């Protein structure tokens, strides 16, 4: 492709689309500098090209220049007020910058311009969840499911919102629905390992429509396992964590959650201090000891095995890294327990059985995505 674009530029040196195309090809080869140079040239030659600004925004985002990407999406929208792709991407960028009101405004506009796309509702629902408006988020995920009942991402996001509201049984139903629809592990996209997460965007639409879309299976298993553990279904929770690891051995989520459960389960039949140490240590090494939730799990495991000195040291490190006040409050409680030479014990909450009428069974999984757009994972673009 690059050779063909080179030839096209030789024949017509001012052809904007050739620079856009070559920049895109270089982007997929991870040549961000070359890609950005091509898109800079495209913008210079085509200052009224919405596509050029959109493409440069994607590349700037890939290089981590969020402000530059926002500026380019803003210019693309000025040139074409119907540029729904830029509204979607700029909304995701505002979320990364923790500006929820601006993100919601962009997603509102995306939904107005592309009302048949469930992705707009998923993005806005995630934004509302981040603002702790879980009821509003559930309304958005409901809308996404109505538009595409086979979209596993909508079920897993709605499950997360139900869990945040303490509706663990409804959350379990949604995570199970996501697994029935999309049980596969995460895939490689353009040769890059896609992390297990639930954020997607309409950043790029590939003409062939053959690009694989990430799978949510391991993440749904971990989320369901957490809800099962919280409601006292410990054996089922451990089975979910084990299956998530089988599907994706490199995924750290089940390692950490399994460590927490083995270390702090109120039922001694399911506690395994050495296993918790091994599981948390693997996650600790993979993250370089910089993730507070991993440090907390390791501390809980060490306390379970009686090493309170190490537990206190790691929990103190975690306390310096927690961003959310609720996490700091829980960390202070655990730290007080370790100083009193008491191990961590998790709390268990009763479930709330879901009325039979609300237990919707999703249709069988499609052979390929049923949505009208084919999104790529936002994280890939940052990489």
């Amino acid at each position: 492709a690059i050779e063909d674009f080179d030839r096209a530029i030789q024949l017509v040196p001012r052809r904007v689309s050739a620079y856009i195309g070559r920049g895109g090809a270089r982007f997929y080869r991870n040549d961000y500098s070359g890609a950005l140079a091509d898109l800079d040239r495209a913008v210079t030659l085509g200052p009224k090209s919405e596509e050029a600004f959109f493409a440069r925004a994607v590349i700037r985002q890939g290089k981590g220049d969020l402000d530059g990407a926002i500026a380019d999406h803003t210019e693309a929208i000025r040139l074409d007020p119907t540029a729904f792709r830029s509204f979607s991407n700029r909304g995701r960028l505002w979320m990364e910058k923790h500006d929820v009101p601006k993100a919601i405004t962009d997603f509102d506009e995306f939904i107005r311009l592309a009302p048949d796309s469930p992705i707009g509702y998923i993005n806005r629902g995630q934004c509302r969840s981040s603002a702790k408006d879980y009821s509003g988020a559930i309304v958005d995920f409901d809308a996404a499911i109505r538009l595409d009942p086979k979209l596993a991402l909508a079920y897993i996001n709605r499950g997360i919102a139900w869990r945040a509201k303490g509706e663990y049984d409804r959350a379990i139903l949604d995570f199970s629905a996501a697994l029935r629809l999309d049980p596969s592990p995460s895939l490689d996209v353009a040769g890059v390992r896609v992390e297990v997460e639930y954020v997607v965007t309409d950043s790029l639409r590939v003409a062939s429509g053959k690009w694989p879309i990430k799978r949510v299976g391991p993440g749904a298993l971990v989320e369901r396992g957490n809800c099962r553990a919280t409601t006292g279904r410990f054996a089922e929770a451990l089975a979910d964590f084990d299956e998530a690891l089988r599907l994706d051995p490199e995924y750290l989520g089940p390692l950490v959650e399994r460590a927490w459960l083995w270390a702090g389960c109120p039922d001694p039949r399911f506690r395994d201090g050495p296993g918790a140490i091994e599981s948390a240590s693997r996650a600790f090494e993979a993250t370089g000891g910089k993730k507070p939730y991993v440090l907390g799990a390791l501390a809980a495991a060490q306390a379970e095995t009686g090493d309170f000195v190490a537990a206190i040291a790691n929990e103190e490190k975690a306390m310096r890294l927690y961003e959310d006040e609720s996490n700091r409050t829980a960390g202070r409680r655990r730290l007080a327990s370790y100083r009193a030479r008491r191990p961590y014990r998790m709390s268990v909450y009763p479930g709330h059985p879901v009325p039979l009428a609300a237990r919707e069974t999703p249709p069988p999984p499609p052979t390929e995505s049923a949505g009208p757009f084919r999104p790529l994972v936002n994280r890939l673009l940052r990489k």
Side-chain angles (χ1 to χ4, degrees), residues 217-241:
L221 283 162
V222 171
E223 298 289 358
R224 188 175 70 179
N226 280 333
C227 288
R228 285 174 163 174
T230 301
T231 54
R233 297 157 66 173
F234 306 122
E236 294 173 80
L238 288 170
D240 277 345
F241 300 148

Side-chain angles (χ1 to χ4, degrees), residues 304-321:
E304 174 60 22
T305 57
D307 188 355
F308 290 102
V309 173
I312 290 168
N314 279 314
E315 191 62 56
E316 287 176 340
K317 291 178 185 176
M319 288 290 294
R320 291 193 289 270
L321 297 173

